[in-house]
Amino acid sequence: MSQHKPPARITIADVARRAGVSIATVSRVINQTARVAPDTQALVQAAIAELNYRPHAAARMLAGRKTNTLGLLLPEIGAAFFPPMLRGVEAEARESGFGLLIYATHSASAYDVAQPYPLGEHNTDGLLIFTNSIPEAELRRLHHMRFPVVLFYRSAPEGLDIPSVAVENKSGARQLVEHLVRAHDYRRIAFLRGPGGNEDSYWREQGYREALQVHGLPFDPALVAVGGFDRQAAQDAVDQWLREGLEFDAIFAGDDDAAIGALTALQRAGKRVPEDVALVGFDDTCVSRYLAPPLTTINAHVEQAGREAIRQLVRLIRTGQAEPLVLLPTELVIRRSCGCT
Amino acid sequence: MSQHKPPARITIADVARRAGVSIATVSRVINQTARVAPDTQALVQAAIAELNYRPHAAARMLAGRKTNTLGLLLPEIGAAFFPPMLRGVEAEARESGFGLLIYATHSASAYDVAQPYPLGEHNTDGLLIFTNSIPEAELRRLHHMRFPVVLFYRSAPEGLDIPSVAVENKSGARQLVEHLVRAHDYRRIAFLRGPGGNEDSYWREQGYREALQVHGLPFDPALVAVGGFDRQAAQDAVDQWLREGLEFDAIFAGDDDAAIGALTALQRAGKRVPEDVALVGFDDTCVSRYLAPPLTTINAHVEQAGREAIRQLVRLIRTGQAEPLVLLPTELVIRRSCGCT
DNA sequence: CTGAAAGCGCTTACAG
DNA sequence: CTGAAAGCGCTTACAG
């Protein structure tokens, strides 16, 4: 039960010996890669069963076969955003006949030669890379060696034509903010932006600005703060606004997690939502419909996005081609936190 | 950008040639496995950097080194239960110096030789196995070959001494139900059990029964149905009860997901929680505190459990020993859905 | 401190 | 239909 006494591995040679054939033949019946006489086949299968043989994936890989598995690289894995995405990615991979391995890089920090990513060209047929989970240099290397990669929720760096799938952040945000001004006539709409460098955050802010502009409302820097797509950060930001006595009649929280933080801050300060201040989020996570009041937000179809990303990756692996950029549509979900009933 | 023109891989031989040394030397500087003259070392490092060399993990593995990575096997990955667990598992693995690979088996169905699990003895130093993600035969094989495995949220099959970490389900459930009768004097407490064969569900039911018994309340089979740890299933079950006109003054929902389903059913039927019927869950997922009313539940310290499981696995890998069974304590979280204020 | 060589467990031309 | 052999990219005794 430890590495001290190394396990006695059963190899293809053991099977071959037991079945009285060559290892080549065993390999053939396992992979169905050539005709094998029915009797021989039966012999081999029996030997495999008796010995409880399992092919060694690393050896297979080394010897040059495909892995039939896809890799997903994330910066982290603990947020509420992930379950639906993982569900989509997982289901689509499975339905396409691939296994799926997931690794959280935890940072796009410098690469260490002695400790390469446990997920890569060596154990995977292609990689789905979420936001900035790996350094750009690594992306370049992968692209350079023509390894199939698709980017997810981020665009390709300058000059690299790597396919990318993301979500219509800008139009979604714009729709949301337009609803706030059109349906409810709010004029001072605060915005909690996401983490710096995050593309989703960037485009949502563009959508916010466009909506203001369309309705002739000024963009007021005092009305934007960093919510970081994070409950605590958002709560702190709203606390701060409240302390400063900032005036606003609605908050666009950047994402649903930030909306929860904002809601907490608002409630603690005795503000009623939506009577005193309206609140909207983005993503429509599984929590949002259950908040009090239920959150008006944008359904970003995260699960669908996951499926689409895998679809492109599989296509890239099989045909060498994929859509350069797919932008998934977004949908306004009106509940009660915006003031609707 | 496809498999059609296979990528030109840079190998240790390329590095050796470039640096004018043998491949053995290159290997040594990468792994720091023997003294190498400073000059030689510099030469090699320069060559690695220039060529952008990455060691081939499968080859390393085959040649007999540890992988420095741990594997987590789950049946599925899309539930609200997972993010905190993954956070704990991930953090502890990282802090212990291991990478973490995750694979969703999706079923404990029969094993296919041609398509082995993408996660196993060949690319991992040890496996954490959640509930019933693999067939028992596979577990036996792993154990038999002395591969380090720890079971998570399930116990070892008869006769296999595989370490296991789980949660104090029984006493938690009992505490919860006792609160219901002691503090609120409910007498007809319905129970939504989890999926058949699930150990968590089994022990929670035992706790429920014990609590009833302690207070001299009868166990009434009419008051238990299957909620399956699932929103929709729980909602259907409660709908059914309501249709039948079953009388109950409280529901113990089995887990928080089921509690959400129950809440939905209750609200649609115009029942107020907790005035008309009280409701409690189990797990304390990130949603529970935000429900209306906030859910009384059991905090099962899922993130801590994840850390502990990895701790045991690492210990097993390093020393060959681990705690046979660790049962993590559980904590009552009183909010408003039970009738408290 | 460094290199030549065996071996890890497989797949796949190449012969037959 | 089947086997002998080379090769995948590394690590690690064994010599020196």
Side-chain angles (χ1 to χ4, degrees), chain B residues 257-274:
Chain B
D257 259 329
I260 288 178
L263 185 60
T264 305
L266 258 11
Q267 283 173 167
R268 291 207 178 150
K271 303 277 185 192
R272 291 164 311 159
V273 175

Side-chain angles (χ1 to χ4, degrees), chain A residues 22 25 28 35-37 40 62:
Chain A
S22 76
T25 298
R28 285 178 193 122
R35 307 200 66 74
V36 173
T40 318
L62 232 204

Side-chain angles (χ1 to χ4, degrees), chain A residues 42 110 325 334:
Chain A
L325 174 64
I334 295 182

Side-chain angles (χ1 to χ4, degrees), chain B residues 12 27 31 53 56 63:
Chain B
I12 198 173
S27 174
N31 299 302
Y53 168 68
H56 191 300

Side-chain angles (χ1 to χ4, degrees), chain B residues 269-318:
Chain B
K271 303 277 185 192
R272 291 164 311 159
V273 175
E275 293 81 355
D276 300 326
V277 8
L279 176 66
V280 298
F282 201 113
D283 281 345
D284 198 15
T285 65
C286 61
V287 190
S288 310
R289 59 156 27 89
Y290 299 107
L291 295 177
L295 188 69
T296 290
T297 186
I298 292 287
N299 183 341
H301 300 294
V302 181
E303 182 166 348
Q304 279 310 312
R307 298 194 87 111
E308 183 59 28
I310 292 293
R311 226 173 275 135
Q312 293 300 328
L313 181 56
V314 169
R315 196 176 143 205
L316 184 58
I317 292 169
R318 294 200 173 135

